[in-house]
Amino acid sequence: MKYIFRNFSTPLAILTIALAFNSCNEDKILGEEPVDFSSPENSFSTMDDFNSAIYALYNRAQNILSGGEYRPLDYIYGTDLGYNGANQLNQRFGSYPACLTPQNGQIGYHWNNYYKIISSSNIILENLENAEITEDQRTFIKANTLIFRGLSYRNLAYLYGGVPIELEEVTAPEVDYTRASREDVYAQAASDLNFAAENLPGISEVMDGKVSNLAAYHLLAEVYVTMGRWQEAISAASVVINDPDTQLMTERFGSRSSEPGDVYWDLFRRNNQNRSSGNTEGIWVWQQEVDVPGGRLSSSSRDGSSAQLERDVSPRPWSFPYQDPNGVNPFLSLGVSDYTGGRGIGRFRGTNYYIYDIWNGSSEENDMRNSRFNFIRDVAFNNPESVWHGQNLSDHRDLFRQKAIDTIRYFYPYPSKVTTPGNHPPELFVNPELKTLNAAAAGSTYTDQYFIRLAETYLLRAEAYLGIGDKSAAAADINTVRNRARATPVLPGEIDINYILDERARELGIEEKRRLTLQRLGLLYERVSRLNDGNPMSGNFGLDIQPFHELWPIPASEIENNTGAELEQNPGY
C-alpha cells in the first residue's frame, strides 16, 4: 500500500526509501558503509538517537488520541455519550452515512497515522539489532517501541476489523497487501503488549507521562478481554490493581483541595494528574505543559495540538439567545473562567442517556460524580449589567426548549472535567476581575490528560469476571469504584455488560475513547440506535447509524493503490 511511502512519520523513513530508489548499482551502494550522509546505519547509533525516535511515537500517538478539536473527538461524537449539536452532517458524525465513506478524511487520518506509528516502530526495531548499545538498553527500547505498535494494531482492529500486518521495515514499494483477520491483528497487538508489559520499568521508576509496565498490562488486559481470554485478562489487570504503587484516590488532594469540591473533582484540576502531585491513580497521563518550550499548551494561542475538550464539550452561554427584561444578555459576551464552561462552543451535546438517564434512581442520588462540582446542571447569570445577575438558570425555566434548564448549545448539563473553572492561565484573562477570557486563545483544557486511569482497570477486570460468569467478583471491582464515588453498591444480580458500560459512562464519560470501547464490544450500533437521541433542533431525533457502521471503511486510496492484490472493503461500503 502506498501509504507506507506517502506518509512516513520521520525524515529517516523518507531517506530509507530515497536511498532504495536512487540505487544505480544496488550491490555497491547497499553494501557501502555510509559516513557522510544520514541513513539508518548512522542515524541510529546511540541511545539518544533511539530515544528521539521514541519521543516521536509519543507525539504522534498523542496527536491521534488527545490533541486538537477534530480527530481525537471522533472517538466520542456520535456514540451513546453525545452528538454534533451544530447541524454539521458530514462532520463529527452529524450523519453516519455522510461521515463514514471510504473517501472521508477522518477515515484516512486514523488509518494513516496508526500505520505511521507502525512504520516508525519497525524502523526502530530493525536498527536495534546492530546498534552498539547494551542488551538492557536494547530491551528497554524494544519494549518502549512495542507498546506503541501494539496500541496501534489494537486500535486499527477495533475501528476497521482485520487489517494488513507489517512487522518489518519497508525499503521498497509493496502493493500486494492483504488483510489479516481481526483475530490475528488482536493476537499481534497482544504479543507486542505482552513484551512491553514484561520489560518496561515499573510505574515508580518512570517520569510523569512515560509508559510503564502497568500501562502495557492495562492495554494487554483489554485486548485479552476482547479476545475472550478472560483469565489472562484478569491476571494482566490484577498486576495493575495489585501493584503497591497504585491505588484509587479517596481523600482530597492536590492544587485546590482547600476549595469546595470532592476527591473526584480534585482528579481533574490543574497539576493534579501525575504521580509527582501525589496522584496514585493515573497510569498513563498525556503531558500538556502550559507555556513550556515543546509543550502543547499556550496561554497566548489555542494550539491545534492541545486537548480541546473545553471548546467542544462545554456549552456556549456567551452567545445566549435570550435577554433580560431590559434587553441585556444575562451572560457576559466572552467566555468566563467559571462553571459556565470557559470558552466552550457547545458543539458536543451530551445525550439524554449520558446527562440524565444514568444518574436517575435512588442508587445514584449521592453519586459524587454527579455532584454540583462534577456535573454542572445549573449556573448563575454572570453579567453584572443584567437585572438577572446572580440568579440561576433554573429560576427562568420558561426560556428553555428541551429539559427544564436545558438548551441544545447555549446551556446543557456537562462534566466539569473538560474545563478549569476559576483556574485558567491568568494570561488568558481579558478582565481579571470578571475572569473573562481571550476568545481567540481560550478553549483548550488546561490540564494534563488521563489516557489510562486505575478506575478503568477495575471496570475492565469486572468485564473479564463477567466473562467467566463470576458476577460477585465483578460486583466487587465495580463497587470499589462506586464506593469511592459514595454511590450505592451494585448487587451481583444487577450486572451485565450494559451495566458496566453505564458505570464506565459515569466514571469515565468524555475521558474514555468511547467509540473504541463500543466497537471492540460490537455494541456501537445497538447502543447508538437505542440511546443517542440526535439533535431535536434539526428534527433529527435519531442518528442514521446502520449495522455495517460497526466497522469503519478501509480508505479508498489504500484499495486503489494496492494494485498487486485485493484489499477487501468492509461490507456495506
Side-chain angles (χ1 to χ4, degrees):
M1 279 176 283
K2 288 189 178 179
Y3 63 78
I4 291 181
F5 310 105
R6 192 172 57 241
N7 293 304
F8 277 103
S9 58
T10 65
L12 171 62
I14 297 172
L15 247 125
T16 303
I17 300 304
L19 290 172
F21 286 163
N22 292 330
S23 298
C24 297
N25 183 327
E26 181 174 329
D27 291 337
K28 179 179 178 180
I29 293 179
L30 295 183
E32 290 179 342
E33 186 70 24
V35 294
D36 59 352
F37 59 91
S38 180
S39 74
E41 289 78 7
N42 63 21
S43 293
F44 285 111
S45 57
T46 68
M47 276 296 288
D48 284 345
D49 297 330
F50 284 105
N51 280 330
S52 294
I54 295 295
Y55 295 152
L57 298 182
Y58 276 98
N59 185 62
R60 189 168 295 282
Q62 191 167 352
N63 283 343
I64 305 169
L65 294 162
S66 181
E69 62 172 310
Y70 287 94
R71 300 288 73 97
L73 300 189
D74 290 338
Y75 296 110
I76 59 173
Y77 273 107
T79 65
D80 54 359
L81 297 186
Y83 57 83
N84 186 340
N87 297 328
Q88 299 167 305
L89 291 181
N90 64 345
Q91 295 182 47
R92 302 175 177 88
F93 290 90
S95 164
Y96 262 81
C99 289
L100 289 189
T101 69
Q103 295 79 22
N104 192 291
Q106 74 185 40
I107 301 304
Y109 175 90
H110 293 278
W111 174 282
N112 287 334
N113 278 280
Y114 284 126
Y115 271 112
K116 286 176 182 179
I117 291 176
I118 292 167
S119 174
S120 296
S121 298
N122 291 340
I123 292 171
I124 294 169
L125 295 171
E126 196 82 10
N127 286 279
L128 264 181
E129 300 306 314
N130 298 318
E132 294 182 2
I133 56 178
T134 69
E135 283 306 308
D136 286 347
Q137 290 173 324
R138 203 181 316 277
T139 299
F140 176 82
I141 291 297
K142 183 175 180 180
N144 273 270
T145 302
L146 287 181
I147 191 173
F148 286 99
R149 193 174 76 175
L151 172 66
S152 297
Y153 276 125
R154 158 192 176 265
N155 290 1
L156 283 167
Y158 290 169
L159 293 171
Y160 301 93
V163 298
I165 296 175
E166 178 58 73
L167 304 179
E168 297 179 354
E169 178 185 356
V170 178
T171 57
E174 294 185 28
V175 292
D176 58 353
Y177 283 93
T178 58
R179 296 176 64 177
S181 70
R182 199 179 198 184
E183 292 71 24
D184 284 345
V185 182
Y186 287 146
Q188 182 58 51
S191 176
D192 286 351
L193 293 170
N194 185 67
F195 185 93
E198 291 180 349
N199 291 283
L200 282 169
I203 195 167
S204 63
E205 302 172 53
V206 299
M207 294 173 59
D208 291 339
K210 288 197 172 183
V211 294
S212 67
N213 64 332
L214 300 189
Y217 273 116
H218 174 99
L219 295 171
L220 180 62
E222 187 184 285
V223 174
Y224 282 153
V225 165
T226 307
M227 300 172 76
R229 292 163 62 171
W230 311 116
Q231 290 291 355
E232 291 167 284
I234 291 167
S235 296
S238 296
V239 173
V240 184
I241 291 168
N242 296 336
D243 191 284
D245 291 318
T246 65
Q247 61 181 358
L248 295 185
M249 301 300 293
T250 56
E251 303 292 337
R252 296 296 305 274
F253 75 100
S255 62
R256 302 180 69 187
S257 58
S258 63
E259 300 179 33
D262 49 49
V263 67
Y264 189 80
W265 187 78
D266 289 339
L267 285 169
F268 302 98
R269 298 312 102 213
R270 287 184 65 186
N271 305 314
N272 281 8
Q273 289 69 47
N274 294 298
R275 298 184 66 79
S276 58
S277 67
N279 185 335
T280 55
E281 187 166 337
I283 303 300
W284 188 355
V285 180
W286 301 123
Q287 305 296 294
Q288 295 289 298
E289 307 296 354
V290 182
D291 292 338
V292 173
R296 289 176 170 266
L297 280 167
S298 169
S299 59
S300 61
S301 65
R302 184 164 40 81
D303 191 318
S305 65
S306 65
Q308 295 182 37
L309 289 169
E310 175 184 284
R311 178 170 166 80
D312 268 47
V313 178
S314 293
R316 53 184 294 161
W318 49 271
S319 62
F320 202 59
Y322 308 104
Q323 298 177 339
D324 72 8
N326 295 332
V328 176
N329 188 328
F331 288 105
L332 289 165
S333 59
L334 291 174
V336 179
S337 183
D338 61 11
Y339 280 107
T340 59
R343 192 52 168 78
I345 62 171
R347 192 155 49 197
F348 178 92
R349 200 278 187 185
T351 60
N352 286 338
Y353 158 78
Y354 175 50
I355 63 179
Y356 296 113
D357 298 347
I358 59 173
W359 308 107
N360 288 338
S362 59
S363 63
E364 312 306 333
E365 286 179 356
N366 299 314
D367 196 319
M368 183 185 296
R369 298 162 300 189
N370 190 35
S371 76
R372 64 187 179 91
F373 305 107
N374 296 316
F375 223 106
I376 311 307
R377 300 183 178 278
D378 197 6
V379 292
F381 294 122
N382 58 22
N383 187 352
E385 302 300 319
S386 171
V387 296
W388 290 345
H389 180 245
Q391 298 179 30
N392 288 336
L393 275 167
S394 57
D395 297 328
H396 299 270
R397 295 174 184 268
D398 56 312
L399 295 179
F400 303 100
R401 301 184 181 183
Q402 196 167 343
K403 292 285 182 173
I405 52 169
D406 180 1
T407 62
I408 296 303
R409 295 191 68 183
Y410 305 105
F411 183 79
Y412 46 76
Y414 76 98
S416 67
K417 67 172 72 174
V418 306
T419 183
T420 49
N423 200 214
H424 286 74
E427 294 84 357
L428 286 175
F429 294 153
V430 176
N431 183 324
E433 182 179 352
L434 297 176
K435 291 190 174 181
T436 51
L437 298 166
N438 180 338
S444 296
T445 302
Y446 290 89
T447 62
D448 294 333
Q449 296 291 304
Y450 297 109
F451 183 51
I452 300 173
R453 187 158 60 83
L454 183 60
E456 182 181 5
T457 316
Y458 275 102
L459 298 178
L460 192 58
R461 191 171 71 173
E463 197 177 323
Y465 278 130
L466 179 65
I468 62 171
D470 191 345
K471 289 191 173 185
S472 294
D477 276 348
I478 294 170
N479 285 331
T480 298
V481 177
R482 289 182 63 79
N483 289 342
R484 189 265 295 280
R486 299 176 185 168
T488 304
V490 65
L491 298 174
E494 299 176 83
I495 296 174
D496 58 14
I497 192 60
N498 284 308
Y499 184 90
I500 292 176
L501 286 170
D502 292 350
E503 188 63 21
R504 289 181 70 99
R506 284 185 282 265
E507 177 68 27
L508 304 168
I510 306 303
E511 184 184 344
E512 75 163 317
K513 309 307 175 190
R514 187 68 166 187
R515 179 173 303 282
L516 296 179
T517 299
L518 297 181
Q519 288 192 219
R520 73 172 171 82
L521 290 167
L523 292 175
L524 179 74
Y525 170 74
E526 190 279 327
R527 299 276 298 188
V528 171
S529 59
R530 177 166 61 89
L531 299 172
N532 192 314
D533 29 12
N535 186 344
M537 293 287 285
S538 67
N540 175 19
F541 286 89
L543 288 177
D544 46 7
I545 188 172
Q546 299 299 316
F548 67 86
H549 292 136
E550 198 71 51
L551 290 177
W552 285 7
I554 306 300
S557 59
E558 304 305 330
I559 293 175
E560 293 167 0
N561 292 327
N562 196 65
T563 57
E566 181 181 5
L567 192 63
E568 295 181 357
Q569 182 58 273
N570 282 324
Y573 296 104

